Amino acid sequence: MKLIHISKTFFPGSSKEVKALTDINLTFEKGEFTTLSGESGSGKTTLLNIIGGLERPTEGKIFFDGLELTALSDEQMADFRLHHMGFIFQAYNLISVLTVRENIGFIMKLLDYREDEINNRINELASVLQIENILDNLPGQISGGQQQRVAVARAVASKPKLILADEPTANLDSKNSQRLMEMLRALNEKEQVTVIFASHDKYVLAESKRTIVLDDGAVIEDR
Amino acid sequence: MEFSPRFETYVLLSKKDKTVGSMLGGIIPSKESSLSHLKHALIKGAYLEGNDTRAIYLGSDLAKRLDVDVGEEIAMIGSSLDYSTAADLFTVKGIFRTGLFEFDSTSAFANKAYLDNIMMSKNKASYFTLSFLDNQAAAKYVNALKDKLPRTCEALSWQMLLSTLVQAMQVDSLFGYISISIFFLVIFFVIMIFSYVSIYARTRQIGLLRALGFTPKDIRILLFNEMLIIAFFSVTLGGIIGAAVTYYFEIHPLVVSGLAETYKDYGIISDALPTRFDLFTISWNALSIFILNLTSILYPIYKINQLSVTEAMRHV
Amino acid sequence: MYKIAGQLAWKSLMRRKTRTWMVITMIAMSLSGLLLLQGIYDGMVSHMINTAIRSDSGEISLYASKYRLEKNLDYRIGNLEDIKKYLDKQNMIDAYVIRLAQEGLAATAHKSLGAILKGISLEDERRFGNFDTFLSQGEYSFGDKDREALVGFKLAEKLKATLGSRLIFTAQDANGEINAIAFRIKGIVKTGGLAIDEGSIFISMEKMAEFLSLSGAATQIALRIKNESKIKNVQNALQREFESIDVLRWDELYPLLIQMREMMDVFNMVSYMIVFTIAALGIFGVILVSILERVREFSIMLAIGTPYQNIRHQIVTEAFIMSLFGYVLGAFSGGILLLYTASSGIDFRYFEAGLESFGLNAVLYADIRGYYFLQAFGAVFFATLLSVLWPLRVLKKIKPIEAIQGKML
Ligand SMILES: Nc1ncnc2c1ncn2[C@@H]1O[C@H](COP(=O)(O)OP(=O)(O)O)[C@@H](O)[C@H]1O
Ligand SMILES: [Mg+2]
């Protein structure tokens, strides 16, 4: 995936103008496990949103396997997300009326997977993420760490090409953060899925192969 | 208060080969004119006078049925008070129209002084009509009269005399009540739903208050007082708007053209739908809604107090 | 995809049971109330129509032309035998009666009032419209030698006459002479129809003919035609056969009843509109709030790629599931109420006299018609549609980005 000259300005031309991102150029390879790091307000979330197509850049283009994402309509982008991207947010990821099992299978269902395929996949992920015993609980009945693991399971369930995660460990204690990262890492290796994080959590940084540091909307380090 | 004696009997009136049954009233023309609208209903000829003899004052539709006009003669056959047959010839002096079809097609009037002679009803009256400026006084007076009058007489207020009309009004309101109660039922539910939803939106806040030491009773009082204030203002506002609308329609009634024509048999004589500005009805309705309002929140309050503190705090 | 939306809708409703039940109960209760109201109103009008047909007009009545205007014996039906012969041949006509009426003065020793004297055959009237069922006091008979009469109850009341009282009736006969006839009251009838209750006296046809010096004549011939679709045909055929006679259907004779029926329809429509506009407000409140409190959830669903239509479908389904349950419950309980009221009636004794003035009994029976339930369904459907319009606009404004922005968390 390629990001070319990406810039984002909120309220351009007005007195409230904010330059969130300026001229970002990045390339992500298949199977990468990358962390976007930087202080609060440095532009991590904005960049993730633009990659995920939730927000449009003011300038620049994004290519994914040769397809120009920035040229897609909102609807085409939504469809693209459904088929090729997984999301994990900071908190409240789950659909409250669905059980853990249904939450994990939700996207697969939208994609018309067969029932047995979905069940196999859920069981497989549940054992990796150690959530077998809560599969029939509702999100309100499990802890925050478990909720985030379920969110991971849902994000990877349909085997997307890219997973975007915005501070998935922000609301977790250190032990839970560490476990979540280990599991994500394992999935990344096993399924060769590209993962991009936004985080300044040390456990996340420790697990990642590549760290991109942002400051005031610009890349200041890439290692 | 005004009063006038009336003598009333039923007679056959005929002209040539046409015979029609009709009420014939003996009235004192001068007194009656201040009491009822008989004099103003005149459309042709003249109203009766105190020294009239063989003059008759006919309803317009009755005149049509008899095919007579002012100045023509008609025969009257009836039974007088001594059960003998009374018969006489009358000249049509005037024709009236009140707009009440039933009345206009079956009523005729003559000077009581003259009629008394042929009906042997001198110093007798079928009844006295009394008119009061306000309806409340009438009811009181009826009661007072009941005590004073001899056994053979009865005093009746217009409600009793026109009992069918009054009861017809009651039936009308029966249907009104049925409809209104369905309206109130659905309003009750709507208010309940809204208050339930708005109270539940604050579940976490209420959980917090409970955690800080509020008892369920405190919560109940708090929510109830809130509703009291909201209900008071909304009902006052609604009452004022409703009153204004009713007042407007009282002054500018709705007009449905053709109404009078269609319902002339029911005595409706104008195309305008009269609307009454009645403070009592308005306040009564407002009060009902107010009470409805308060009762509709009892259940939502009960439901929220069923939650434990931790449940409330964790509510999403 | 719709299956998922449906499941989500169902689960969301189950999650918020109290709210869901409130909406369902609201719809069900207002619906059964409205159904009952409609049934009673229609039942009232049908009852009045039925009474008018049975006691007076039949489905079709024949009058000499001008009679109804002049009410004069000069305008009578003379060629009675021809007509009878014709009527007997028609198999569409289930029964018919011949009546001879004259207006006049009815008097007791105390009082005199205008009334109509009608010559009828009790046996024919019984076959025609079960006239005997209208008898409220006394016997359904004219006594031996036909010297007695049946009287409308209001008229008897006004004349202060009771069973056995003597009445004198004075009227003009066929020759223009004023005649009087005397008889005793054998029975009192109460039909609910004003014309009969307040002003009619019935004696035998033979006595009437004798009193009016007029035989082989009638003022009215009323026919029963049970097959409703054939009424117009029979009317046209009769009119063609007897050109000098007015052949009128009951709805032409009682236009007021038809108007009343129309008025009731309008009234019912207005009631439905008011009630379901208010009910729509209730559904609207629940749907709107359920969207507002799930903005975060919906935006996450949108962010992970759930199509917008899917969520819209979920909301609409939630609204319609509630309405459908409300409808089924309301139609069911309303149907039971109607069935009960149709067979046992509702007693409005307190309003009896008032109802009488409308030609009704104290116990009102409801009508049940299939279209009530269709109409009710339409009302619920439109109320639901109305109630989701605004919430769907709110939904449309939700952007997936909001899921990630701090303000939502
Ligand atoms: N929707 C928005 N409207 C206006 N300014 C925004 C918006 N989103 C982000 N910003 C601004 O853009 C900058 C980058 O924010 P963000 O990407 O959220 O940083 P981070 O996620 O690294 O904390 C900040 O200055 C923030 O105030
Ligand atoms: Mg951020």
Side-chain angles (χ1 to χ4, degrees):
Chain A
M1 184 167 72
K2 265 200 166 82
L3 278 64
I4 304 168
H5 300 307
I6 292 291
S7 293
K8 176 71 183 178
T9 311
F10 290 106
F11 315 116
S14 83
S15 59
K16 292 191 285 177
E17 186 178 281
V18 181
K19 286 206 159 91
L21 296 173
T22 40
D23 196 25
I24 305 278
N25 292 286
L26 288 168
T27 307
F28 299 96
E29 299 300 333
K30 189 168 156 58
E32 256 190 30
F33 198 82
T34 308
T35 306
L36 299 175
S37 161
E39 285 169 20
S40 182
S42 58
K44 302 184 295 290
T45 301
T46 308
L47 186 54
L48 272 189
N49 287 350
I50 288 175
I51 295 172
L54 301 178
E55 203 137 37
R56 291 190 175 270
T58 322
E59 271 170 55
K61 290 177 178 177
I62 300 175
F63 291 93
F64 191 96
D65 278 356
L67 175 71
E68 188 187 343
L69 296 186
T70 35
L72 297 179
S73 71
D74 280 356
E75 239 161 73
Q76 287 169 321
M77 195 58 222
D79 197 55
F80 185 83
R81 281 202 299 274
L82 179 65
H83 282 88
H84 305 297
M85 290 183 178
F87 280 85
I88 306 164
F89 304 112
Q90 197 171 326
Y92 304 111
N93 270 293
L94 307 177
I95 299 166
S96 56
V97 294
L98 297 181
T99 62
V100 167
R101 180 188 294 281
E102 290 163 335
N103 262 291
I104 299 173
F106 184 73
I107 292 183
M108 295 182 80
K109 257 196 173 160
L110 284 178
L111 289 173
D112 279 333
Y113 277 80
R114 283 202 324 274
E115 203 67 28
D116 57 327
E117 269 180 296
I118 297 175
N119 280 331
N120 288 341
R121 183 73 174 142
I122 291 171
N123 293 338
E124 181 189 342
L125 288 170
S127 79
V128 176
L129 292 164
Q130 296 171 16
I131 46 176
E132 294 113 314
N133 53 336
I134 53 163
L135 278 180
D136 293 318
N137 290 19
L138 287 172
Q141 299 163 332
I142 60 179
S143 75
Q146 289 170 324
Q147 283 182 17
Q148 288 304 77
R149 272 183 271 157
V150 175
V152 169
R154 183 185 61 195
V156 300
S158 59
K159 303 196 177 168
K161 292 176 179 156
L162 176 67
I163 289 177
L164 302 174
D166 192 7
E167 313 210 22
T169 58
N171 287 355
L172 302 181
D173 57 29
S174 56
K175 199 173 143 229
N176 269 311
S177 299
Q178 210 172 348
R179 266 174 65 196
L180 187 76
M181 287 316 296
E182 281 164 9
M183 288 166 184
L184 249 176
R185 189 61 224 257
L187 280 171
N188 163 255
E189 305 230 302
K190 194 168 155 247
E191 316 209 332
Q192 281 302 302
V193 53
T194 315
V195 182
I196 306 175
F197 282 99
S199 180
H200 44 244
D201 195 324
K202 60 178 191 270
Y203 302 101
V204 179
L205 295 174
E207 289 288 339
S208 56
K209 296 184 216 162
R210 177 183 176 193
T211 305
I212 298 167
V213 183
L214 289 178
D215 185 37
D216 213 1
V219 178
I220 56 164
E221 209 186 320
D222 186 352
R223 59 182 150 83
Chain B
M1 187 190 81
E2 316 245 3
F3 76 94
S4 166
R6 267 194 200 172
F7 173 75
E8 240 173 45
T9 182
Y10 204 89
V11 298
L12 289 179
L13 297 176
S14 55
K15 195 215 164 197
K16 287 191 209 144
D17 54 349
K18 287 204 172 104
T19 305
V20 172
S22 163
M23 191 276 293
L24 177 62
I27 56 173
I28 298 173
S30 57
K31 286 203 172 179
E32 194 71 30
S33 64
S34 58
L35 215 61
S36 64
H37 298 295
L38 219 46
K39 186 175 179 182
H40 302 290
L42 178 82
I43 54 169
K44 202 168 181 193
Y47 180 63
L48 298 172
E49 275 160 48
N51 54 4
D52 279 341
T53 51
R54 291 181 168 168
I56 194 163
Y57 192 48
L58 282 184
S60 56
D61 293 290
L62 181 60
K64 217 181 279 167
R65 283 168 74 195
L66 283 166
D67 196 16
V68 289
D69 210 337
V70 173
E72 294 188 71
E73 267 194 344
I74 52 174
M76 180 280 287
I77 302 162
S79 54
S80 62
L81 282 183
D82 62 354
Y83 305 135
S84 63
T85 301
D88 202 355
L89 282 176
F90 281 90
T91 307
V92 179
K93 183 165 184 193
I95 292 174
F96 64 86
R97 177 201 278 284
T98 61
L100 296 165
F101 177 77
E102 191 65 21
F103 191 74
D104 292 344
S105 63
T106 60
S107 306
F109 294 93
N111 183 7
K112 184 172 188 300
Y114 178 73
L115 205 59
D116 285 347
N117 285 332
I118 50 173
M119 293 289 180
M120 321 229 178
S121 55
K122 200 162 190 148
N123 235 336
K124 289 201 170 77
S126 306
Y127 52 84
F128 283 77
T129 52
L130 298 91
S131 126
F132 297 86
L133 286 179
D134 95 80
N135 276 328
Q136 302 287 319
K140 263 187 238 158
Y141 210 84
V142 166
N143 285 329
L145 269 176
K146 269 184 182 158
D147 298 336
K148 299 235 168 66
L149 286 172
R151 280 274 166 87
T152 52
C153 295
E154 47 185 0
L156 298 169
S157 66
W158 69 274
Q159 279 105 332
M160 296 184 234
L161 277 171
L162 299 176
S163 61
T164 6
L165 182 66
V166 171
Q167 280 154 340
M169 282 160 63
Q170 278 178 358
V171 170
D172 225 34
S173 39
L174 166 72
F175 299 142
Y177 290 145
I178 297 177
S179 309
I180 287 265
S181 46
I182 298 177
F183 297 160
F184 275 14
L185 181 82
V186 60
I187 291 173
F188 173 82
F189 270 100
V190 169
I191 300 175
M192 181 154 86
I193 286 167
F194 273 82
S195 43
Y196 178 82
V197 158
S198 67
I199 288 175
Y200 256 71
R202 290 161 49 193
T203 310
R204 261 191 281 181
Q205 185 204 331
I206 288 166
L208 193 66
L209 288 175
R210 289 279 300 281
L212 292 175
F214 273 57
T215 63
K217 194 182 163 201
D218 294 332
I219 300 287
R220 192 160 57 232
I221 292 169
L222 176 83
L223 292 175
F224 198 77
N225 282 342
E226 265 178 33
M227 198 62 194
L228 207 66
I229 294 166
I230 296 172
F232 178 78
F233 280 108
S234 50
V235 165
T236 311
L237 191 68
I240 290 171
I241 294 172
V245 172
T246 335
Y247 189 68
Y248 175 85
F249 281 119
E250 185 178 58
I251 301 172
H252 313 274
L254 276 176
V255 172
V256 181
S257 50
L259 190 74
E261 185 51 37
T262 315
Y263 293 103
K264 70 165 191 254
D265 287 359
Y266 277 165
I268 294 173
I269 46 171
S270 127
D271 281 343
L273 283 174
T275 305
R276 203 151 94 89
F277 176 74
D278 180 357
L279 270 181
F280 176 77
T281 311
I282 293 168
S283 7
W284 197 89
N285 277 318
L287 189 71
S288 322
I289 292 282
F290 186 69
I291 292 169
L292 213 63
N293 231 318
L294 295 184
T295 45
S296 65
I297 61 156
L298 294 179
Y299 183 66
I301 293 180
Y302 165 79
K303 278 299 267 195
I304 199 130
N305 270 333
Q306 290 292 96
L307 292 177
S308 73
V309 179
T310 47
E311 273 174 330
M313 298 259 296
R314 281 178 49 202
H315 186 86
V316 271
Chain C
M1 191 181 82
Y2 284 156
K3 204 174 135 206
I4 302 173
Q7 279 172 359
L8 276 172
W10 177 256
K11 287 185 164 143
S12 302
L13 289 177
M14 295 314 280
R15 176 81 185 281
R16 298 167 172 85
K17 280 203 190 74
T18 313
R19 236 188 256 182
T20 308
W21 270 114
M22 280 181 183
V23 173
I24 291 178
T25 320
M26 170 183 77
I27 295 173
M29 286 178 82
S30 5
L31 198 61
S32 41
L34 284 172
L35 284 171
L36 185 63
L37 192 74
Q38 191 171 21
I40 290 183
Y41 286 173
D42 276 0
M44 265 167 43
V45 178
S46 311
H47 178 83
M48 287 160 79
I49 291 173
N50 191 267
T51 302
I53 288 177
R54 280 172 53 208
S55 66
D56 180 36
S57 65
E59 273 77 18
I60 291 179
S61 267
L62 313 183
Y63 294 97
S65 47
K66 272 197 177 175
Y67 173 78
R68 286 190 320 123
L69 223 62
E70 303 285 340
K71 295 278 161 58
N72 193 310
L73 285 179
D74 291 351
Y75 307 103
R76 61 187 181 238
I77 301 172
N79 49 338
L80 211 50
E81 287 311 317
D82 294 349
I83 297 178
K84 268 160 87 176
K85 228 177 268 166
Y86 178 84
L87 294 179
D88 286 333
K89 272 189 297 183
Q90 308 300 312
N91 50 6
M92 283 301 161
I93 298 168
D94 297 301
Y96 64 90
V97 287
I98 296 165
R99 303 191 184 113
L100 181 58
Q102 175 65 318
E103 289 185 358
L105 187 68
T108 58
H110 314 283
K111 204 161 179 188
S112 52
L113 277 175
I116 299 168
L117 189 67
K118 287 183 183 167
I120 60 167
S121 150
L122 287 180
E123 211 27 64
D124 288 355
E125 292 288 347
R126 193 206 299 271
R127 233 177 302 125
F128 178 82
N130 298 322
F131 195 64
D132 51 319
T133 55
F134 292 122
L135 191 79
S136 76
Q137 280 180 56
E139 272 176 58
Y140 186 69
S141 145
F142 291 140
D144 23 302
K145 296 194 184 161
D146 288 348
R147 280 217 201 102
E148 289 166 278
L150 303 182
V151 180
F153 89 100
K154 263 265 155 63
L155 180 64
E157 228 166 63
K158 283 189 183 165
L159 286 169
K160 299 206 162 117
T162 53
L163 287 181
S165 296
R166 201 175 138 83
L167 286 184
I168 294 177
F169 191 86
T170 315
Q172 203 175 18
D173 70 13
N175 308 322
E177 303 290 328
I178 304 272
N179 271 339
I181 182 175
F183 40 75
R184 288 192 185 278
I185 299 177
K186 186 80 175 174
I188 289 178
V189 291
K190 187 169 174 178
T191 61
L194 278 192
I196 290 183
D197 290 354
E198 273 199 328
S200 292
I201 302 170
F202 298 92
I203 60 171
S204 78
M205 195 62 175
E206 293 72 28
K207 260 275 181 297
M208 188 67 178
E210 190 185 309
F211 171 55
L212 296 179
S213 323
L214 182 69
S215 63
T219 47
Q220 177 192 16
I221 299 173
L223 322 173
R224 292 307 302 270
I225 292 135
K226 300 270 162 62
N227 187 342
E228 210 171 312
S229 57
K230 291 289 189 296
I231 298 177
K232 274 220 166 99
N233 296 348
V234 175
Q235 180 191 24
N236 291 337
L238 277 165
Q239 193 63 81
R240 253 179 279 122
E241 186 75 22
F242 303 105
E243 277 172 2
S244 63
I245 282 175
D246 284 348
V247 182
L248 295 162
R249 293 189 315 272
W250 68 268
D251 51 320
E252 293 167 314
L253 289 165
Y254 290 97
L256 210 66
L257 290 178
I258 294 295
Q259 262 171 30
M260 232 169 131
R261 191 183 254 177
E262 280 162 8
M263 246 169 61
M264 290 294 182
D265 284 345
V266 172
F267 188 86
N268 282 326
M269 283 291 277
V270 172
S271 300
Y272 262 101
M273 264 164 56
I274 295 177
V275 168
F276 275 96
T277 310
I278 307 175
L281 205 65
I283 309 173
F284 159 80
V286 165
I287 295 293
L288 183 66
V289 165
S290 82
I291 288 178
L292 289 179
E293 67 189 6
R294 283 185 289 176
V295 166
R296 192 175 55 216
E297 196 164 306
F298 287 146
S299 56
I300 283 183
M301 285 168 71
L302 287 170
I304 63 175
T306 314
Y308 168 76
Q309 294 91 302
N310 198 293
I311 297 177
R312 185 180 60 196
H313 200 77
Q314 178 186 341
I315 297 299
V316 174
T317 310
E318 280 182 31
F320 276 97
I321 287 177
M322 287 193 287
S323 306
L324 202 68
F325 268 87
Y327 171 75
V328 170
L329 212 68
F332 186 72
S333 53
I336 289 181
L337 277 176
L338 277 177
L339 277 177
Y340 175 80
T341 319
S343 60
S344 308
I346 298 188
D347 200 330
F348 288 109
R349 199 154 301 273
Y350 175 71
F351 299 96
E352 181 165 15
L355 288 167
E356 247 163 28
S357 71
F358 278 86
L360 293 165
N361 300 322
V363 179
L364 297 182
Y365 294 89
D367 267 9
I368 310 179
R369 306 224 172 93
Y371 79 84
Y372 294 174
F373 297 93
L374 224 62
Q375 189 178 329
F377 186 82
V380 174
F381 186 84
F382 275 106
T384 316
L385 220 54
L386 195 71
S387 69
V388 294
L389 288 181
W390 178 256
L392 284 182
R393 280 176 53 122
V394 173
L395 184 71
K396 187 102 202 181
K397 290 202 189 106
I398 297 175
K399 292 269 170 345
I401 184 78
E402 290 174 6
I404 312 155
Q405 279 167 0
K407 63 176 180 188
M408 293 311 304
L409 300 177

PDB file of all heavy atoms in Angstrom, chain A residues 40-41 43-46 90 166-167 198, chain C residues 404, ligand 2:
ATOM      1  N   SER A  40       0.014  12.768  21.714  1.00  0.00           N
ATOM      2  CA  SER A  40      -1.397  13.034  21.482  1.00  0.00           C
ATOM      3  C   SER A  40      -1.537  14.289  20.628  1.00  0.00           C
ATOM      4  O   SER A  40      -0.859  15.295  20.884  1.00  0.00           O
ATOM      5  CB  SER A  40      -2.094  13.212  22.830  1.00  0.00           C
ATOM      6  OG  SER A  40      -3.450  13.429  22.629  1.00  0.00           O
ATOM      7  N   GLY A  41      -2.344  14.228  19.613  1.00  0.00           N
ATOM      8  CA  GLY A  41      -2.546  15.378  18.730  1.00  0.00           C
ATOM      9  C   GLY A  41      -1.564  15.417  17.587  1.00  0.00           C
ATOM     10  O   GLY A  41      -1.577  16.335  16.784  1.00  0.00           O
ATOM     11  N   GLY A  43      -1.481  13.397  15.034  1.00  0.00           N
ATOM     12  CA  GLY A  43      -2.109  13.071  13.751  1.00  0.00           C
ATOM     13  C   GLY A  43      -2.284  11.583  13.493  1.00  0.00           C
ATOM     14  O   GLY A  43      -2.628  11.179  12.386  1.00  0.00           O
ATOM     15  N   LYS A  44      -2.078  10.732  14.503  1.00  0.00           N
ATOM     16  CA  LYS A  44      -2.166   9.280  14.318  1.00  0.00           C
ATOM     17  C   LYS A  44      -3.562   8.858  13.856  1.00  0.00           C
ATOM     18  O   LYS A  44      -3.730   8.161  12.860  1.00  0.00           O
ATOM     19  CB  LYS A  44      -1.836   8.552  15.649  1.00  0.00           C
ATOM     20  CG  LYS A  44      -0.481   8.867  16.239  1.00  0.00           C
ATOM     21  CD  LYS A  44      -0.199   8.048  17.480  1.00  0.00           C
ATOM     22  CE  LYS A  44      -1.123   8.347  18.648  1.00  0.00           C
ATOM     23  NZ  LYS A  44      -0.896   9.687  19.259  1.00  0.00           N
ATOM     24  N   THR A  45      -4.539   9.297  14.638  1.00  0.00           N
ATOM     25  CA  THR A  45      -5.904   8.909  14.326  1.00  0.00           C
ATOM     26  C   THR A  45      -6.304   9.407  12.953  1.00  0.00           C
ATOM     27  O   THR A  45      -6.919   8.678  12.158  1.00  0.00           O
ATOM     28  CB  THR A  45      -6.859   9.458  15.394  1.00  0.00           C
ATOM     29  OG1 THR A  45      -6.478   8.935  16.651  1.00  0.00           O
ATOM     30  CG2 THR A  45      -8.297   9.062  15.099  1.00  0.00           C
ATOM     31  N   THR A  46      -5.953  10.651  12.668  1.00  0.00           N
ATOM     32  CA  THR A  46      -6.314  11.229  11.376  1.00  0.00           C
ATOM     33  C   THR A  46      -5.732  10.394  10.242  1.00  0.00           C
ATOM     34  O   THR A  46      -6.412  10.095   9.254  1.00  0.00           O
ATOM     35  CB  THR A  46      -5.813  12.687  11.286  1.00  0.00           C
ATOM     36  OG1 THR A  46      -6.268  13.391  12.434  1.00  0.00           O
ATOM     37  CG2 THR A  46      -6.333  13.356  10.032  1.00  0.00           C
ATOM     38  N   GLN A  90     -10.649   2.031  20.099  1.00  0.00           N
ATOM     39  CA  GLN A  90     -10.180   2.139  21.473  1.00  0.00           C
ATOM     40  C   GLN A  90     -11.109   1.403  22.453  1.00  0.00           C
ATOM     41  O   GLN A  90     -10.662   0.740  23.370  1.00  0.00           O
ATOM     42  CB  GLN A  90     -10.138   3.615  21.813  1.00  0.00           C
ATOM     43  CG  GLN A  90      -9.316   3.943  23.020  1.00  0.00           C
ATOM     44  CD  GLN A  90      -9.168   5.450  23.129  1.00  0.00           C
ATOM     45  OE1 GLN A  90      -9.089   6.154  22.142  1.00  0.00           O
ATOM     46  NE2 GLN A  90      -9.123   5.940  24.351  1.00  0.00           N
ATOM     47  N   ASP A 166      -6.833   1.648  16.280  1.00  0.00           N
ATOM     48  CA  ASP A 166      -6.532   2.946  16.888  1.00  0.00           C
ATOM     49  C   ASP A 166      -6.487   2.800  18.400  1.00  0.00           C
ATOM     50  O   ASP A 166      -7.527   2.665  19.035  1.00  0.00           O
ATOM     51  CB  ASP A 166      -7.599   3.957  16.457  1.00  0.00           C
ATOM     52  CG  ASP A 166      -7.190   5.375  16.821  1.00  0.00           C
ATOM     53  OD1 ASP A 166      -6.052   5.566  17.278  1.00  0.00           O
ATOM     54  OD2 ASP A 166      -8.029   6.285  16.646  1.00  0.00           O
ATOM     55  N   GLU A 167      -5.303   2.805  18.940  1.00  0.00           N
ATOM     56  CA  GLU A 167      -5.078   2.683  20.388  1.00  0.00           C
ATOM     57  C   GLU A 167      -5.943   1.588  21.020  1.00  0.00           C
ATOM     58  O   GLU A 167      -6.725   1.846  21.917  1.00  0.00           O
ATOM     59  CB  GLU A 167      -5.342   4.020  21.081  1.00  0.00           C
ATOM     60  CG  GLU A 167      -4.651   5.150  20.338  1.00  0.00           C
ATOM     61  CD  GLU A 167      -4.233   6.292  21.234  1.00  0.00           C
ATOM     62  OE1 GLU A 167      -4.093   6.065  22.448  1.00  0.00           O
ATOM     63  OE2 GLU A 167      -4.050   7.386  20.707  1.00  0.00           O
ATOM     64  N   ALA A 198      -2.198   2.634  15.752  1.00  0.00           N
ATOM     65  CA  ALA A 198      -1.833   3.940  16.278  1.00  0.00           C
ATOM     66  C   ALA A 198      -1.720   3.724  17.776  1.00  0.00           C
ATOM     67  O   ALA A 198      -2.675   3.229  18.378  1.00  0.00           O
ATOM     68  CB  ALA A 198      -2.892   4.964  15.960  1.00  0.00           C
TER      69      ALA A 198
ATOM     70  N   ILE C 404     -14.749   7.069  16.030  1.00  0.00           N
ATOM     71  CA  ILE C 404     -13.365   7.117  16.449  1.00  0.00           C
ATOM     72  C   ILE C 404     -13.052   8.431  17.143  1.00  0.00           C
ATOM     73  O   ILE C 404     -12.103   8.551  17.896  1.00  0.00           O
ATOM     74  CB  ILE C 404     -12.445   6.919  15.221  1.00  0.00           C
ATOM     75  CG1 ILE C 404     -12.969   5.712  14.438  1.00  0.00           C
ATOM     76  CG2 ILE C 404     -11.031   6.671  15.634  1.00  0.00           C
ATOM     77  CD1 ILE C 404     -12.627   5.725  13.003  1.00  0.00           C
TER      78      ILE C 404
HETATM   79 MG    MG D   2      -5.968   9.481  18.528  1.00  0.00          MG
END
